[in-house]
Amino acid sequence: MSLIEESEVVLIGSWASMFSSRVQIALAEKGINYEYVDEGLLETKSPLLLKHNPIYKKIPVLIHKGKPICESKIIVEYIDETWKEGYSLLPSDPYLKSQAAFWVDYIDRHIFKGTRMILDSNGEEMQKGVEEFLGYLKVLERELGEKPYFNGEFFGFVDMALVCYYSHIIANETIGHFSVEKDCPKLAFWATQCMKRESVSKALSDPNKICELFIEYRKKAGVED
Amino acid sequence: MSLIEESEVVLIGSWASMFSSRVQIALAEKGINYEYVDEGLLETKSPLLLKHNPIYKKIPVLIHKGKPICESKIIVEYIDETWKEGYSLLPSDPYLKSQAAFWVDYIDRHIFKGTRMILDSNGEEMQKGVEEFLGYLKVLERELGEKPYFNGEFFGFVDMALVCYYSHIIANETIGHFSVEKDCPKLAFWATQCMKRESVSKALSDPNKICELFIEYRKKAGVED
């Protein structure tokens, strides 16, 4: 058994992945010690990843006592239910939990797609992408309303599901020439509040590095000179 | 307040929807009495649906004491956590639960897409669709292995998530000229076992009616004469 597999908790992640950051936020909120293995950005997948996520071959994967859990949403729920002590990530009330699950699902369905739309396009098509993306964010802004966090008073599942996109959205603003602050001021304020949490600020990638990565990607894909 | 909103539990569904059947199976397994409102197949959405699922405007929606829950996966989890007595739909162990959630996610990501691929194509493209679809089913067949049900001895979350596609898959077999029994015999046997449960057989649509609907759809879409 390798050193990695002997660790109680291992996270296979990637520095540039929002889904990896999401799990890191959850682990930090719970105060769980873990070993972090960066998968990097190479096309070739590591044997560790292939062994523990043979279906999708994607990060993040949490390995707990040798057993893998895949998909960031599922990992966060697993963390909350396994380490019951400490900060609660999900509401215990079934209705509030169902509403949180609904919004996390909304975020992963639309916000990821939205950032990709902007990243993969230019000109008019990009402008259309930006408008569609801002449309999704406006729905989230309405849902946030006057509450400090999505679930109410406390930072939780929906907040960590959305804030993990923060650096990618900032990079998208640069690429797509738009401003979340202008169109969704409440969401922008909410993000600054989330960023005050060490669990969040430490888990997120540097937006400048994400932006460099985006520009490099766009050049390779031929959508930017 | 309308009569419908006075009911303790209301399900807005559609006779032709697998996601609607999924919720009906869960409600039946728990022995919950509810009022069923069929949304039908019309393009125009009912005011009841628009009021209770303003974001997606899609069935199924469960209304419990006036409060809506959307998305079939989320509804099944809500049902299990709200009516704790009776049959358990999800494992209580966090690891087993995470694995069930992983497979339900796999099913909704691939099986729905697979049935659509076959429905929307013909000729070579359809043949490719059939092969891809059977590939997804084979992954599920391997996961089922020699177990009677996906979670082991008892009918549960993953079983109801997959068996709700049963009538649609039968209709797809007719359209696409393939046989699940031939390629995935274990899955075919598992399906016959699931169909012995009244909760399942009563909730599923008549495969012949689904097939008629598919043929009508294909003619309108111009993929069948």
Side-chain angles (χ1 to χ4, degrees):
Chain A
M1 195 181 258
S2 72
L3 267 176
I4 288 210
E5 283 166 324
E6 275 171 18
S7 293
E8 167 101 359
V9 184
V10 178
L11 173 64
I12 316 176
S14 168
W15 69 267
S17 160
M18 60 283 264
F19 302 117
S20 187
S21 300
R22 181 183 289 175
V23 176
Q24 287 174 289
I25 296 170
L27 289 164
E29 288 290 346
K30 285 282 188 186
I32 299 164
N33 289 323
Y34 63 99
E35 181 154 354
Y36 177 74
V37 183
D38 201 282
E39 178 67 16
L41 298 170
L42 295 174
E43 280 295 307
T44 316
K45 311 287 183 179
S46 72
L48 188 74
L49 178 61
L50 293 176
K51 179 180 171 189
H52 290 94
N53 189 358
I55 300 292
Y56 294 126
K57 306 170 179 68
K58 279 185 180 169
I59 58 100
V61 179
L62 189 80
I63 312 173
H64 183 209
K65 295 180 180 169
K67 291 194 286 186
I69 302 107
C70 304
E71 300 291 300
S72 68
K73 255 190 315 196
I74 296 173
I75 297 173
V76 173
E77 288 209 51
Y78 175 80
I79 289 171
D80 200 40
E81 289 179 5
T82 302
W83 289 272
K84 283 191 191 297
E85 67 281 12
Y87 197 82
S88 277
L89 308 177
L90 275 90
S92 56
D93 172 77
Y95 184 72
L96 295 178
K97 197 171 160 185
S98 75
Q99 300 310 294
F102 177 87
W103 287 109
V104 171
D105 188 65
Y106 181 91
I107 289 164
D108 281 346
R109 203 178 284 196
H110 296 303
I111 302 305
F112 183 74
K113 189 182 133 205
T115 57
R116 291 299 315 196
M117 274 189 316
I118 298 166
L119 189 57
D120 288 327
S121 61
N122 55 27
E124 260 184 55
E125 200 193 332
M126 183 193 265
Q127 198 44 43
K128 232 177 103 185
V130 166
E131 272 160 39
E132 194 176 324
F133 183 59
L134 284 171
Y136 298 136
L137 288 181
K138 281 174 192 168
V139 170
L140 290 166
E141 165 125 332
R142 271 200 300 280
E143 174 56 22
L144 177 66
E146 303 303 325
K147 305 190 293 288
Y149 295 109
F150 278 91
N151 297 331
E153 293 301 313
F154 302 102
F155 177 83
F157 194 30
V158 185
D159 305 296
M160 66 184 72
L162 183 58
V163 82
C164 69
Y165 286 92
Y166 183 76
S167 303
H168 295 73
I169 293 177
I170 290 180
N172 272 111
E173 287 182 318
T174 308
I175 305 277
H177 311 291
F178 66 96
S179 157
V180 174
E181 198 175 0
K182 186 175 148 276
D183 282 273
C184 303
K186 284 175 194 167
L187 221 49
F189 180 72
W190 159 89
T192 60
Q193 294 306 103
C194 291
M195 286 298 281
K196 287 182 186 164
R197 298 180 83 84
E198 202 180 85
S199 68
V200 178
S201 59
K202 276 196 170 174
L204 294 193
S205 334
D206 176 349
N208 295 324
K209 281 193 177 173
I210 298 291
C211 197
E212 279 169 27
L213 197 70
F214 277 8
I215 291 169
E216 194 186 327
Y217 168 86
R218 287 169 61 78
K219 280 181 182 165
K220 272 191 190 163
V223 282
E224 193 163 303
D225 296 330
Chain B
M1 197 183 256
S2 73
L3 267 176
I4 290 214
E5 283 167 324
E6 275 172 17
S7 292
E8 167 99 1
V9 184
V10 178
L11 173 64
I12 316 177
S14 168
W15 68 268
S17 159
M18 59 283 263
F19 302 118
S20 187
S21 299
R22 181 183 288 175
V23 176
Q24 286 174 289
I25 297 170
L27 288 164
E29 288 290 347
K30 285 284 186 185
I32 298 164
N33 289 323
Y34 63 99
E35 181 153 356
Y36 177 73
V37 183
D38 202 282
E39 177 69 14
L41 299 169
L42 295 174
E43 280 295 307
T44 317
K45 310 287 182 179
S46 72
L48 189 73
L49 178 61
L50 294 175
K51 178 181 170 186
H52 291 94
N53 190 357
I55 300 292
Y56 294 126
K57 306 170 181 67
K58 280 187 179 165
I59 57 102
V61 179
L62 189 81
I63 311 172
H64 183 209
K65 296 181 181 170
K67 291 194 285 187
I69 302 108
C70 305
E71 299 290 300
S72 68
K73 255 190 317 195
I74 296 173
I75 296 173
V76 173
E77 289 209 50
Y78 174 79
I79 289 171
D80 200 40
E81 290 180 4
T82 301
W83 289 273
K84 283 191 190 296
E85 65 282 10
Y87 198 83
S88 277
L89 309 176
L90 276 90
S92 56
D93 172 78
Y95 183 73
L96 295 178
K97 197 171 160 186
S98 75
Q99 300 311 292
F102 176 86
W103 288 109
V104 172
D105 188 65
Y106 181 90
I107 289 164
D108 281 346
R109 203 179 284 197
H110 296 303
I111 302 305
F112 183 75
K113 189 182 134 207
T115 58
R116 292 298 315 195
M117 273 190 316
I118 298 166
L119 188 58
D120 288 326
S121 61
N122 55 28
E124 258 184 55
E125 200 193 333
M126 184 194 266
Q127 199 43 44
K128 232 177 103 185
V130 167
E131 273 160 37
E132 193 175 326
F133 182 59
L134 284 171
Y136 298 136
L137 287 181
K138 282 175 191 167
V139 170
L140 290 167
E141 165 126 332
R142 271 201 298 280
E143 175 56 23
L144 177 64
E146 303 304 326
K147 304 190 295 285
Y149 295 109
F150 279 91
N151 297 332
E153 292 302 313
F154 302 103
F155 177 83
F157 193 31
V158 185
D159 305 296
M160 67 184 73
L162 182 58
V163 83
C164 69
Y165 286 92
Y166 183 76
S167 302
H168 295 74
I169 293 177
I170 290 180
N172 272 109
E173 286 182 319
T174 308
I175 305 275
H177 311 291
F178 66 96
S179 157
V180 174
E181 198 173 359
K182 187 173 149 276
D183 282 272
C184 304
K186 285 175 194 165
L187 220 49
F189 181 73
W190 160 88
T192 60
Q193 294 304 103
C194 291
M195 285 298 282
K196 288 182 186 165
R197 299 180 83 84
E198 201 180 86
S199 68
V200 178
S201 59
K202 277 196 170 175
L204 294 192
S205 333
D206 176 350
N208 296 323
K209 281 193 177 172
I210 298 290
C211 197
E212 279 169 28
L213 197 70
F214 277 9
I215 290 168
E216 196 187 325
Y217 167 86
R218 287 169 61 78
K219 280 180 183 165
K220 272 191 191 162
V223 283
E224 194 163 302
D225 295 330

